[in-house]
Amino acid sequence: MRLTILRRAAVALALALPGAVIATVAAAPAAHADGCYTWKRTLSQGRTGADVRQLQIRVAGWAGYRDIVENDGRYGPKTTAAVRRFQAAYGLKADGIAGPKTFGKLYEIQDDDCTPRHFSYAQLDDGCGRGGWTGGPLSASRTRFNAVRIMWKLEALRRGLGDKPLTVSSGFRSRACNNRAGGVGDSQHLYGNAADVTARGATLCQVARQGRNHGFSGLYGPGYPGHNDHVHLDSRRENNDDRSRNTTSWSAPKCGIRGR
């Protein structure tokens, strides 16, 4: 965040300088993404590449009701729709084209390590006490990658709830941690692919209902056994490393959410 603060200070200084300097600053290329990632071109439907994948990670939470945005590097209709929803949520022109203003907003809401502003690796770390990213079925780097996608979905959910703060009570779990927590044998928590959350200023049912619009294919909340005090959210449809079917499974009967 220090780089973000420095950029804002630079802009504030520029506003106090003569018009010619202001014009120079305003015309400069978009600032880099706080040491994380910088997009070099405008992206729109039909584009492919690693830069599209980076965008898909950050708009995965704007997939729309019961849908997901695949991280496949192809800027197709789903990515276009997700970008459009992201733009609308942040007051930008909702044209589905990712250009400087869209990237600028993404830079603004992310930190140096590519995590979104309101979530961190520490929050998504070992659900039994921040034990690191090892001890699960995947490498630490792949587990952390999954956790980043979950964090961006949570950021979108937070925005969708009117910026109500979300608290993560359990994120990644090692196998030993998952056993102690009573998790199922092939829990999405083992892959860094899940988060148990509560909200301040929103009910659990509001969280569960809103979660259906933000790319979570696994959702369990009030009324589902063991989930009356939190909402479980995961990305099981995107997990090709587990033993479960790539499908959507939602259940929060007390919130009117039933079935798979």
Side-chain angles (χ1 to χ4, degrees), residues 118-119 123 157-158 161-168 197-204 206-207 229:
H118 296 103
F119 298 92
Q123 289 173 286
L157 172 58
R158 188 185 193 279
L161 288 166
D163 289 318
K164 299 294 191 301
L166 295 174
T167 298
V168 179
V197 303
T198 57
R200 189 167 72 247
T203 68
L204 291 178
Q206 287 173 321
V207 173
D229 60 352

Side-chain angles (χ1 to χ4, degrees), residues 2 37 93 255:
R2 288 196 299 271
Y37 187 82
K93 180 181 178 182
C255 306

Side-chain angles (χ1 to χ4, degrees), residues 39-102:
W39 284 272
K40 303 293 188 181
R41 58 175 179 161
T42 294
L43 299 175
S44 58
Q45 191 157 320
R47 295 281 194 176
T48 60
D51 50 359
V52 177
R53 285 182 181 272
Q54 290 290 333
L55 178 64
Q56 288 170 327
I57 291 170
R58 291 158 179 79
V59 300
W62 297 101
Y65 182 80
R66 207 179 179 85
D67 213 342
I68 61 171
V69 176
E70 289 86 356
N71 188 232
D72 58 6
R74 299 178 182 275
Y75 204 119
K78 289 184 179 181
T79 301
T80 301
V83 169
R84 190 178 294 118
R85 293 186 189 98
F86 171 83
Q87 292 167 329
Y90 286 96
L92 304 176
K93 180 181 178 182
D95 57 8
I97 298 171
K101 290 186 178 179
T102 299

Side-chain angles (χ1 to χ4, degrees), residues 121-158:
Y121 283 116
Q123 289 173 286
L124 269 290
D125 198 350
D126 194 324
C128 293
R130 299 184 184 179
W133 299 92
T134 59
L138 304 180
S139 67
S141 61
R142 289 181 64 193
T143 303
R144 281 168 60 93
F145 173 78
N146 288 341
V148 169
R149 289 194 302 174
I150 285 291
M151 282 186 262
W152 280 100
K153 291 184 180 185
L154 291 174
E155 186 75 17
L157 172 58
R158 188 185 193 279

